[in-house]
Amino acid sequence: MSVHSIRLAGDPVLRKKCKKIRDFASVKGLVEDLRDTLMAFRKKEGIGRGIAAPQIGISQRAIYIITSEFEGEMLNPLIVSHGPKEVLYWDACFSFKAAFFVKVLRWEEINVEFFDLAGNRKMLKATGGLSELLQHEIDHLDGILFVDRAILDSHGKYPLIMREEWEKLGRPSMA
Ligand SMILES: [Zn+2]
């Protein structure tokens, strides 16, 4: 039940593969800290829909999501299948202070298996923005950062835009 500082790019914990959670009850405090830290970030920055445990320095497979479609913890989340279509999104990350956006290619639709704190196994079909978000957060659990997925434009340049420019464009999710 505390707000942590967000680990920033360069911190080795963000590049570690996180451990699978065996005892779900044991991560209750971690889940609360993820929620509190995400809520504090949203309040301060006005954006932020998800957070992964390594972003507060914990190398365990836990993420916390706040969206209109799903809110809560996802423990040991796993993409079990995906639809055929890939979509380009503008993506940013707290661990880069959400200072800039790059274009990434994500599955338009995924099916995710995960566990809750009580140890219940659940399935979620996610599409669009939620699908993109979950792929971003699950990547964190494998030490993969959004910039690793940045795609080049037809001129061989990274179409990177700063947060202020993204705001001016009306906060687009699709790129
Ligand atoms: Zn991130």
Side-chain angles (χ1 to χ4, degrees):
M1 289 187 297
S2 51
V3 174
H4 291 249
S5 56
I6 304 279
R7 300 300 181 97
L8 298 175
D11 188 319
V13 75
L14 293 174
R15 287 303 194 182
K16 280 172 73 178
K17 195 171 164 70
C18 296
K19 284 196 198 81
K20 205 169 170 179
I21 297 161
R22 305 277 173 199
D23 176 6
F24 295 109
S26 74
V27 294
K28 187 168 181 287
L30 167 62
V31 166
E32 287 171 356
D33 288 359
L34 287 171
R35 183 198 60 211
D36 292 351
T37 304
L38 176 58
M39 284 175 69
F41 191 92
R42 285 163 66 93
K43 209 170 162 188
K44 188 165 156 259
E45 297 283 340
I47 59 169
R49 299 172 299 149
I51 189 170
Q55 292 185 284
I56 60 167
I58 306 296
S59 211
Q60 299 220 62
R61 302 189 78 82
I63 64 176
Y64 198 94
I65 303 295
I66 301 178
T67 66
S68 55
E69 298 155 279
F70 179 87
E71 181 166 345
E73 77 279 11
M74 287 186 169
L75 309 176
N76 297 340
L78 186 70
I79 297 167
V80 291
S81 62
H82 58 76
K85 203 176 157 206
E86 288 182 285
V87 184
L88 272 177
Y89 289 94
W90 284 115
D91 202 4
C93 181
F94 294 173
S95 292
F96 296 74
K97 302 195 168 188
F100 62 90
F101 288 71
V102 295
K103 286 184 186 181
V104 297
L105 207 50
R106 304 281 194 192
W107 298 113
E108 210 274 318
E109 182 185 300
I110 55 172
N111 284 298
V112 178
E113 177 201 80
F114 65 98
F115 294 83
D116 65 12
L117 267 179
N120 299 307
R121 179 178 172 275
K122 299 193 166 178
M123 290 294 298
L124 178 73
K125 182 194 279 285
T127 58
L130 180 59
S131 173
E132 194 282 321
L133 172 68
L134 293 175
Q135 289 169 79
H136 177 121
E137 302 306 339
I138 293 170
D139 266 353
H140 271 299
L141 305 180
D142 292 314
I144 298 165
L145 299 173
F146 80 124
V147 288
D148 301 336
R149 302 232 185 245
I151 56 105
L152 298 169
D153 65 18
S154 56
H155 307 288
K157 307 256 199 285
Y158 286 110
L160 182 153
I161 56 172
M162 296 307 289
R163 167 89 171 274
E164 288 79 357
E165 295 299 317
W166 176 79
E167 300 274 1
K168 275 188 213 163
L169 291 173
R171 300 181 155 213
S173 56
M174 306 270 267

